[in-house]
């Protein structure tokens, strides 16, 4: 419950902070999914600020609790979900671990991290772009016998259209045009494409 002396954390709050941190970018970008877009959210620039990340994660934790969900573990896929996953886990009072890609590009648990059958999981993401990678993480966790309760993210770029079998908690919906590379009007206009994310080039092949 918000104190009368505490300013509520809203989507507008997050949007303004993203803009202040130069984390909300406009241009011509290649996303982790391989799609092209006119908008990119570089959440690493936002999450480098613990004083900004903590209130955002606290709001996500509040919404999760309000929905009656209590996870045993928060899992944040590397790289984008690691920082927000750790902070969300801290706010929820549970362990925070992360999945990462192996040498073959497959998402997996490493570094001695384990999931016990029956454990309830919140997946933490910085941005849900298409829902594809979130579902990939969910399949890994469910394959270990876990139950995915929800995904919690700073940004939802899907407009609520991600094909997920569990709830999607997001602080800010971002409307952005996305295009297949072979039909991208930005490419056709000769505007150079930028790949601002962390995934290596071979992941697009």
């Amino acid at each position: 419950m918000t104190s009368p002396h505490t300013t509520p954390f809203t989507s507008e709050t997050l949007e303004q902070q993203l803009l202040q941190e130069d984390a909300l970018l406009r241009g011509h970008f290649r996303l982790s999914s391989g799609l092209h877009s006119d908008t990119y959210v570089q959440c690493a620039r936002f999450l480098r600020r613990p004083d900004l990340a903590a209130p955002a994660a606290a709001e996500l934790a509040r919404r999760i609790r309000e929905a009656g969900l209590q996870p045993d573990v928060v899992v944040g896929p590397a790289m984008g979900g690691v920082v927000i996953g750790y902070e969300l886990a801290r706010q929820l009072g549970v362990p925070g671990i992360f999945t990462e890609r192996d040498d073959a590009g497959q998402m997996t648990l490493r570094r001695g991290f384990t999931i016990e059958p029956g454990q309830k999981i919140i997946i933490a993401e910085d941005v849900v772009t298409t829902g594809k990678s979130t579902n990939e993480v969910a399949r890994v966790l469910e394959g270990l016998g876990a139950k995915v309760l929800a995904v919690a993210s700073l940004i939802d770029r899907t407009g609520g259209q991600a094909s997920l079998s569990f709830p999607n908690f997001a602080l800010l919906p971002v409307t952005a045009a996305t295009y297949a590379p072979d039909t991208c009007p930005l490419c056709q206009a000769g505007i150079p494409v930028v790949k601002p994310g962390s995934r290596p080039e071979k992941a697009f092949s």
Side-chain angles (χ1 to χ4, degrees):
M1 186 172 180
T2 302
S3 161
H5 302 294
T6 303
T7 302
F9 191 100
T10 65
S11 59
E12 290 78 13
T13 302
L14 179 57
E15 184 172 14
Q16 286 303 311
Q17 292 173 346
L18 290 166
L19 290 168
Q20 289 167 8
E21 294 302 307
D22 292 327
L24 185 58
L25 309 175
R26 303 292 183 184
H28 182 193
F29 306 102
R30 180 165 57 182
L31 307 177
S32 296
S33 62
L35 296 174
H36 290 200
S37 180
D38 62 354
T39 302
Y40 188 81
V41 181
Q42 183 56 278
C43 280
R45 290 190 57 84
F46 172 84
L47 292 169
R48 65 183 177 157
R49 295 274 304 275
D51 58 318
L52 300 181
E59 175 60 16
L60 282 173
R62 186 193 68 78
R63 295 185 189 186
I64 289 166
R65 291 193 184 100
E66 193 174 69
L69 302 179
Q70 178 55 54
D72 299 305
V73 182
V74 172
V75 177
M79 285 290 293
V82 173
V83 175
I84 190 61
Y86 177 86
E87 183 58 32
L88 180 59
R90 190 180 74 84
Q91 298 282 350
L92 290 169
V94 300
I97 64 176
F98 55 87
T99 57
E100 57 191 308
R101 295 190 183 279
D102 61 19
D103 292 339
Q106 299 300 307
M107 194 66 79
T108 187
L109 282 175
R110 303 173 74 177
R111 305 173 193 273
F113 292 147
T114 58
I115 292 291
E116 300 299 324
Q119 283 191 313
K120 293 173 288 187
I121 308 293
I122 295 287
I123 298 173
E125 298 265 25
D126 55 352
V127 184
V128 174
T129 302
T130 64
K132 181 180 176 182
S133 61
T134 305
N135 279 323
E136 184 181 0
V137 174
R139 285 193 296 272
V140 170
L141 299 172
E142 289 167 350
L144 296 171
K147 175 177 175 56
V148 176
L149 299 179
V151 58
S153 64
L154 296 174
I155 309 295
D156 178 13
R157 284 177 50 107
T158 74
Q161 300 304 306
S163 180
L164 302 171
S165 59
F166 38 81
N168 179 7
F169 295 92
L171 296 183
L172 176 66
V174 171
T175 301
T178 55
Y179 313 102
D182 56 352
T183 60
C184 174
L186 301 172
C187 289
Q188 293 167 8
I191 301 171
V193 64
V194 176
K195 185 183 75 66
S198 60
R199 192 178 296 186
E201 288 291 334
K202 68 178 180 180
F204 296 99
S205 59

